Amino acid sequence: MSADSRENDMKSTLLKVVGLGAISAAAGFFVMPERFWANALLVGLFTLTVSLGAAVFLAIQYVSDASWSRGLRRICEGLAASVVVGEVLVFLAVVFGVRSLYGWVHAHGHLPHAQELWLSRPFQFFRLFVYFGVWSAMIFALLKRPSRGLAAAFLAVFAVTFTLAGMDWVMALEPHWFSTMFGLYLFAGTFQCALAVIIVMAVLLRETDAMLRVVNEDLYHDLGKLLFGFSSFWAYIWFCQLLL
C-alpha cells in the first residue's frame, strides 16, 4: 500500500471517529444533559492540556536550544495550534454547564468570604478570558516567531495561569476540598499526556512516510524515557497529594 493510500485511510478513519463522537455527544445532550456537561468539561480539559503540554514541550526545546527534538517540532506546533479548540470546549462547559457543574456557587453564606469572592461568576469569567487570551497570544506568537526569551516568558506565565485555571475549573467542582499540590499534579498529568500524544502522532506520521527520515529508533528511545520519567513523576505527585 502506498503512502498516499495509508494517509487517506487514516484521514477516513479519523473522520468516522469524529462523526461517531458528534452523534454520541448530541444524544447525550438530550438524554442526560447533566452528564453531558461533565463529560464536555473533561473532553475540553483533555484537548486543552494536550495543546498546552505540547506548547510547553516546544518552549523547553527553544529555551534549552535542543537539537535532538527538531524532527518533532512540527508535531508540537500542530498540537499547540489546536489550543483554541480546547478553549472553546472548556468555555462552553464552564458557561452553559454552570448549573450542573458549579451550581453551588450561587448558594451565598455557605462559603468563607474570600472563597465566595474568588468563585463569584463575574470574577470567574474575567479570569477565564485572561487565561485564554494570554495562552493564545503567547502560543501563536511563539509559533510565528520563536525565540528563547518568549519561550521562557511563556513557561513562567503558564506555571501561574495553569495552576489558577486548574483551581477554577477542576478543584472548584468540590469547593470544600483543596490541595496545595493540585497545580503541580495537573502539570505532571498534562505533560505526561502531551508526551504520549506526541509519540502516537510520530508513530502514525512515520507510517505514512511523512516523517520517515526524522523519526528513528533513537528518537523513540528518547521519547519513551521521557514518558516513563514523567509517568513516575505523576504517580509520585499523586501519592504525595493523597498523603497530605
Side-chain angles (χ1 to χ4, degrees):
M1 183 181 294
S2 65
D4 291 338
S5 298
R6 290 197 296 268
E7 185 176 351
N8 290 332
D9 289 343
M10 187 183 301
K11 288 181 180 179
S12 177
T13 301
L14 291 175
L15 288 174
K16 290 177 182 177
V17 171
V18 171
L20 181 61
I23 294 173
S24 302
F29 178 77
F30 291 104
V31 177
M32 298 184 67
E34 292 187 1
R35 294 298 305 162
F36 170 82
W37 289 119
N39 285 281
L41 179 63
L42 179 64
V43 172
L45 287 172
F46 174 78
T47 307
L48 187 60
T49 52
V50 168
S51 300
L52 291 173
V56 169
F57 181 86
L58 191 64
I60 292 174
Q61 307 313 306
Y62 287 138
V63 170
S64 60
D65 196 22
S67 59
W68 69 272
S69 60
R70 287 178 181 173
L72 300 172
R73 290 184 182 179
R74 290 299 182 188
I75 296 176
C76 295
E77 289 172 355
L79 292 173
S82 64
V83 66
V84 178
V85 178
E87 290 174 349
V88 170
L89 292 174
V90 171
F91 174 81
L92 293 175
V94 171
V95 173
F96 295 102
V98 58
R99 292 188 179 277
S100 59
L101 296 176
Y102 309 105
W104 55 265
V105 173
H106 302 287
H108 298 289
H110 295 280
L111 296 172
H113 176 70
Q115 196 173 11
E116 186 175 351
L117 176 63
W118 178 265
L119 295 175
S120 64
R121 295 302 288 171
F123 198 20
Q124 270 194 324
F125 287 148
F126 172 75
R127 295 194 305 274
L128 181 142
F129 285 114
V130 170
Y131 302 149
F132 288 171
V134 170
W135 292 341
S136 297
M138 298 193 75
I139 287 175
F140 284 105
L142 190 63
L143 296 179
K144 184 177 181 181
R145 187 172 296 178
S147 68
R148 180 177 294 181
L150 180 59
F154 170 73
L155 292 175
V157 171
F158 168 82
V160 176
T161 55
F162 188 69
T163 299
L164 296 177
M167 294 167 58
D168 286 348
W169 304 331
V170 183
M171 193 186 297
L173 292 170
E174 176 49 64
H176 298 292
W177 177 86
F178 62 89
S179 168
T180 55
M181 300 185 68
F182 195 69
L184 184 59
Y185 172 69
L186 281 183
F187 165 74
T190 294
F191 200 69
Q192 176 208 31
C193 183
L195 282 173
V197 173
I198 290 170
I199 293 172
V200 171
M201 293 293 294
V203 171
L204 292 177
L205 289 174
R206 193 173 191 273
E207 289 296 320
T208 64
D209 297 338
M211 301 185 68
L212 187 60
R213 296 182 179 179
V214 296
V215 177
N216 50 41
E217 290 188 3
D218 291 336
L219 191 60
Y220 283 154
H221 278 289
D222 292 335
L223 289 172
K225 286 181 283 189
L226 272 176
L227 182 61
F228 177 76
F230 272 91
S231 296
S232 302
F233 178 66
W234 172 84
Y236 169 75
I237 297 300
W238 177 87
F239 186 68
C240 290
Q241 182 173 257
L242 175 65
L243 289 179
L244 294 176

